[in-house]
């Protein structure tokens, strides 16, 4: 079965929305400090990844589609020379502001997705030879980009407080007790250590 453009766009948007929801869920009920805490040597933090996702959505669905960007935080991030600057959340910027930044990016992106055809031209200067592309390619890219970061957020959240799962109401994991999870962990650890 071949989907028409409207159905393909709706499917891509649905996958993107699922990952956006999962990413935002990982920010809930954590302190300002915990949200900013780098938990791996690369410096990844939950709030830093949310800030990056917001900046990336503004980049692809506004800047690359030649749509106006009026969000001041996005405009400031576009000017940075620091390649990791969009992963940094300054101490004076609250987590609520970063979540709102992401929501604003999502709204701007959704407006572009809703208004444009999948074949709408886009230009991504940092993609080199593939710079000239389409909205459909941007949607596919952002589905994978957001899903990748949602997975990172899932691991970071587990490291912080043990919370796991895909989304509220659908963890997409077996319903194991803490004892059963520990037994599963020990079984896997035993296999690895036996090699």
């Amino acid at each position: 079965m071949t989907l028409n453009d409207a159905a393909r766009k709706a499917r891509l948007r649905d996958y993107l929305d699922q990952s956006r929801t999962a990413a935002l869920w990982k920010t809930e009920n954590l302190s300002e400090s915990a949200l900013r805490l780098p938990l791996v040597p690369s410096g990844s933090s939950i709030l830093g990844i949310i800030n990056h996702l917001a900046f990336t959505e503004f980049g692809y669905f506004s800047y690359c589609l030649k749509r106006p960007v009026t969000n001041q935080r996005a405009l400031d991030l576009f000017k940075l020379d620091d390649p990791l600057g969009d992963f940094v959340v300054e101490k004076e910027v609250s987590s609520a502001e970063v979540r709102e930044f992401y929501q604003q990016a999502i709204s701007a992106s959704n407006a572009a997705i809703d208004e444009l055809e999948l074949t709408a031209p886009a230009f991504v200067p940092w993609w080199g030879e593939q710079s000239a592309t389409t909205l459909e390619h941007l949607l596919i890219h952002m589905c994978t980009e957001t899903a990748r970061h949602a997975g990172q957020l899932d691991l970071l959240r587990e490291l912080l407080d043990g919370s796991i799962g895909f989304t509220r109401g659908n963890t997409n994991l077996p319903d194991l007790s803490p004892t059963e999870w520990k037994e599963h962990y020990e079984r896997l650890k035993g296999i690895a250590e036996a090699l």
Side-chain angles (χ1 to χ4, degrees), residues 37-109:
L37 187 65
L39 295 168
V40 292
S42 65
S44 293
S45 70
I46 288 176
L47 207 56
I49 290 172
I50 297 296
N51 197 63
H52 165 74
L53 285 171
F55 172 68
T56 303
E57 290 230 12
F58 272 118
Y60 284 112
F61 294 121
S62 292
Y63 177 77
C64 294
L65 289 167
K66 296 189 179 356
R67 294 172 67 86
V69 178
T70 58
N71 181 284
Q72 192 58 52
R73 185 163 182 79
L75 292 170
D76 291 344
L77 288 170
F78 284 139
K79 294 176 192 171
L80 290 180
D81 287 330
D82 179 357
L84 295 172
D86 56 317
F87 286 94
V88 177
V89 178
E90 306 83 355
K91 65 181 177 182
E92 63 273 7
V93 178
S94 72
S95 59
E97 290 173 289
V98 174
R99 282 190 288 265
E100 178 60 23
F101 177 45
Y102 191 29
Q103 292 289 0
Q104 290 168 357
I106 290 168
S107 293
S109 298

Side-chain angles (χ1 to χ4, degrees), residues 4-10 12 113 116-121 133-137 139:
N4 65 30
D5 285 359
R8 280 203 333 270
K9 189 195 300 189
L12 288 167
I113 294 164
L116 300 172
E117 298 296 322
L118 287 176
T119 55
T133 190
T134 63
L135 171 63
E136 183 172 26
H137 192 172
L139 267 165

Side-chain angles (χ1 to χ4, degrees), residues 115-135:
E115 292 169 20
L116 300 172
E117 298 296 322
L118 287 176
T119 55
F123 186 78
V124 186
W126 52 91
W127 281 6
E129 291 181 13
Q130 295 183 4
S131 291
T133 190
T134 63
L135 171 63

Side-chain angles (χ1 to χ4, degrees), residues 5-17:
D5 285 359
R8 280 203 333 270
K9 189 195 300 189
R11 180 177 284 179
L12 288 167
R13 167 83 177 271
D14 184 52
Y15 275 103
L16 182 55
D17 284 341

